[in-house]
Amino acid sequence: MADYKLPDVGEGLTEAEIVTWKVTVGDVIKVNDIVVEIETAKSLVELPSPYAGTVLALHVPEGETVPVGTPIISIGDPADATAEAPAPAEGPTDAPATPASAEIDMSNPAATGGGENQTLVGYGPRVSSGRRRARRGGASPATEAGAAAQLQLQGAFGQGAAESSDVVEADEPPVPATPAVRPTGHDVSAPPAGSESTAALAQARVLAKPPVRKLAKDLGLDLGGITPTGPGGTVTRDDVHAAASEVSGAEVAGTTPAAEPSGARSEAREVREPIRGVRKMMAQAMVDSAFSAPHVTEWVTLDVTRTMKLVTRLKEHRDFRDVRVSPLLVVAKAVCLAVRRTPEVNATWDEEAQEVVLKSYVNLGIAAATPRGLVVPNIKDADTLSLAELAAALGDLTRTAREGRTQPAEMAGGSFTITNVGVFGVDAGTPIINPGESAILCVGAVRRQPWVHSKRGRDKLRIRDVTTLALSFDHRLVDGEKGSRFLADVAAVLHDPSSALLL
């Protein structure tokens, strides 16, 4: 049997949230089968299994955040779980170790069954887990009957939770071990009538982690009165907050939830959402950038009628039939061209080395709003791509971001960012520079409006396509002249795409 420990999926991440299990106990899996979806501080990541065998246990429930290196799933031969040795009379003893099942040696995958299908992310050193020592007085989970009895015992007396899902009582006295019980059709979770420990056992039947129990205790809430929504009937932190909000709302209204008049609002007056994962990372990055780089923002409003006509023609071109063409494609190409004349907007301020790092490549980031927060994946070497290749790359990037599948490597190493607020009907804004970069371009909505159009030396009032660009830049390495020149170059290409030949 082998314990799969939560790996660091990139760039020194220290923890991750278990979002969705893709397998259940008893499933037979192969190497590289997806077993779980996790959320890191940067994105959602699907983890493939480095082992083949039967899923013996899931150690972390969905919604729980655990540090890297925590065992999250056990995989092996079911015989390993059933071959329990008799419990010793005194003191723990180590059972003989059994080899990990179908584990891949990442230094020589071919020799250990990996072949060409190597695992998709890096894993820690090989861990050979020994056979678990039999639980004293517990039913074996190897059979369905034994598992059912064991779960009932855990529910009634709180035993074994620490070994299975870490759902334990934090501040209540331990309950003495009980003899092994076989299922008999009776409800073993119900305490004997007249028992003095009825209240304690009722509290122990509620499954919740120690921090959740402490939170409920601090808020003066009874766990038994909270509706659980976690796996296996576990009360989660969100459940406690929801119950507290309902109680608070009832107190403000001067009544209890049961006494609310018919037709009254049943939703909580306040909803608390934990700050974690992508949202936490984004918030910290924006704070660091806003208070470390002196931001300057410049604006320009321009006629983009010719660009909109170009977009229409590209949609009909055979080379662009399989990709999505939008004004953002022309903006991205204009940025790559304008960087050539103003490389400072594509540079990095290295505070520690006291150097400005000028880059000969453009890793073009596109800010994408997702339900889990803002992410900025980037197109590597965007300046080397043709217009058709850039369109395909933009399509892949936005589709992956919307699905929440952007990987940490796809967000690393960006050199310049575009944020398109026009898709929300917003004219423009003052964007915050992505950390590690020196500038960001905000693209507003394209609107049909009156515009003074000059043709052959004569001014005429026409209805044109108009948009606004806003460029925020780090004034430590991009002065006003350089920022203005870059913004004017981008605007010139959008006003007349043929001017791209001059850059």
Side-chain angles (χ1 to χ4, degrees):
M1 182 175 67
D3 286 336
Y4 178 18
K5 298 182 178 180
L6 179 66
D8 176 4
V9 294
E11 305 204 354
L13 299 174
T14 59
E15 63 181 15
E17 177 189 346
I18 303 299
V19 177
T20 306
W21 282 108
K22 303 296 185 180
V23 296
T24 59
V25 175
D27 287 353
V28 178
I29 61 175
K30 304 185 296 295
V31 172
N32 280 337
D33 281 354
I34 301 300
V35 294
V36 66
E37 182 180 59
I38 66 172
E39 181 181 8
T40 70
K42 294 190 175 183
S43 64
L44 287 176
V45 180
E46 291 183 335
L47 294 183
S49 172
Y51 310 111
T54 301
V55 177
L56 302 179
L58 305 179
H59 299 300
V60 182
E62 294 179 354
E64 188 74 14
T65 299
V66 294
V68 169
T70 301
I72 57 175
I73 182 175
S74 293
I75 303 169
D77 188 341
D80 294 343
T82 58
E84 296 183 340
E90 293 182 359
T93 58
D94 294 331
T98 58
S101 58
E103 181 180 0
I104 290 183
D105 183 353
M106 298 306 292
S107 63
N108 186 13
T112 52
E116 297 180 355
N117 297 323
Q118 298 184 22
T119 50
L120 302 181
V121 295
Y123 300 94
R126 296 182 58 180
V127 178
S128 296
S129 62
R131 182 178 299 146
R132 286 189 177 182
R133 180 167 55 88
R135 187 178 303 160
R136 185 177 301 176
S140 169
T143 63
E144 294 184 2
Q150 183 168 316
L151 287 175
Q152 288 177 321
L153 286 174
Q154 291 175 6
F157 305 110
Q159 292 177 317
E163 296 184 26
S164 58
S165 61
D166 196 30
V167 182
V168 295
E169 176 62 53
D171 52 358
E172 294 193 8
V175 181
T178 44
V181 178
R182 296 183 180 275
T184 60
H186 300 289
D187 183 5
V188 298
S189 63
S195 171
E196 295 180 357
S197 60
T198 299
L201 291 177
Q203 182 74 359
R205 284 200 299 270
V206 180
L207 300 181
K209 287 182 172 294
V212 176
R213 291 182 180 273
K214 183 178 185 303
L215 176 62
K217 183 177 180 181
D218 293 342
L219 296 176
L221 299 176
D222 180 12
L223 282 174
I226 299 176
T227 302
T229 62
T234 302
V235 176
T236 66
R237 182 177 294 270
D238 292 341
D239 297 336
V240 175
H241 282 307
S245 298
E246 292 178 2
V247 173
S248 176
E251 290 176 352
V252 171
T255 182
T256 62
E260 287 185 357
S262 176
R265 293 189 309 176
S266 59
E267 67 270 14
R269 293 174 63 87
E270 294 181 353
V271 177
R272 293 177 176 265
E273 296 181 354
I275 302 172
R276 58 192 180 195
V278 174
R279 181 175 296 177
K280 182 177 181 180
M281 180 71 175
M282 179 270 294
Q284 186 60 51
M286 293 298 98
V287 170
D288 292 345
S289 177
F291 292 99
S292 62
H295 283 56
V296 174
T297 303
E298 292 187 347
W299 311 66
V300 61
T301 301
L302 65 149
D303 176 5
V304 292
T305 303
R306 294 178 182 176
T307 286
M308 299 306 292
K309 291 180 179 179
L310 173 62
V311 169
T312 300
R313 291 198 301 270
L314 290 177
K315 290 180 179 179
E316 299 172 354
H317 196 281
R318 63 176 182 275
D319 292 344
F320 294 86
R321 289 175 182 172
D322 297 328
V323 296
R324 183 176 182 272
V325 179
S326 71
L328 180 61
L329 171 61
V330 185
V331 175
K333 191 63 176 180
V335 165
C336 293
L337 295 173
V339 162
R340 298 175 183 176
R341 292 218 306 166
T342 314
E344 290 82 2
V345 300
N346 191 53
T348 297
W349 179 276
D350 191 335
E351 181 68 29
E352 184 176 351
Q354 287 296 292
E355 295 175 341
V356 173
V357 183
L358 298 170
K359 302 168 183 176
S360 59
Y361 57 87
V362 179
N363 287 349
L364 186 61
I366 305 296
T370 72
R372 295 180 177 272
L374 181 70
V375 297
V376 188
N378 60 79
I379 302 172
K380 310 298 183 186
D381 298 312
D383 55 316
T384 65
L385 302 179
S386 67
L387 197 61
E389 293 170 337
L390 188 58
L394 280 171
D396 292 340
L397 179 147
T398 54
R399 182 169 51 255
T400 303
R402 287 171 182 168
E403 295 173 353
R405 306 297 178 187
T406 304
Q407 300 303 303
E410 296 172 330
M411 291 183 283
S415 62
F416 187 94
T417 297
I418 298 174
T419 177
N420 183 13
V421 300
V423 295
F424 304 107
V426 177
D427 291 330
T430 55
I432 297 178
I433 302 168
N434 205 31
E437 301 175 11
S438 62
I440 179 173
L441 182 68
C442 177
V443 183
V446 178
R447 302 186 185 279
R448 298 282 291 174
Q449 63 187 58
W451 188 263
V452 177
H453 176 63
S454 298
K455 187 174 183 180
R456 297 187 180 94
R458 300 180 61 182
D459 293 339
K460 293 184 179 181
L461 189 62
R462 299 286 182 86
I463 301 298
R464 308 290 286 180
D465 292 307
V466 178
T467 192
T468 299
L469 305 178
L471 178 72
S472 291
F473 52 89
D474 185 345
H475 215 308
R476 293 176 299 179
L477 67 163
V478 181
D479 58 29
E481 184 270 335
K482 292 182 174 64
S484 299
R485 183 175 62 191
F486 173 82
L487 186 58
D489 286 342
V490 174
V493 174
L494 295 180
H495 174 66
D496 183 7
S498 64
S499 64
L501 299 174
L502 303 177
L503 297 180

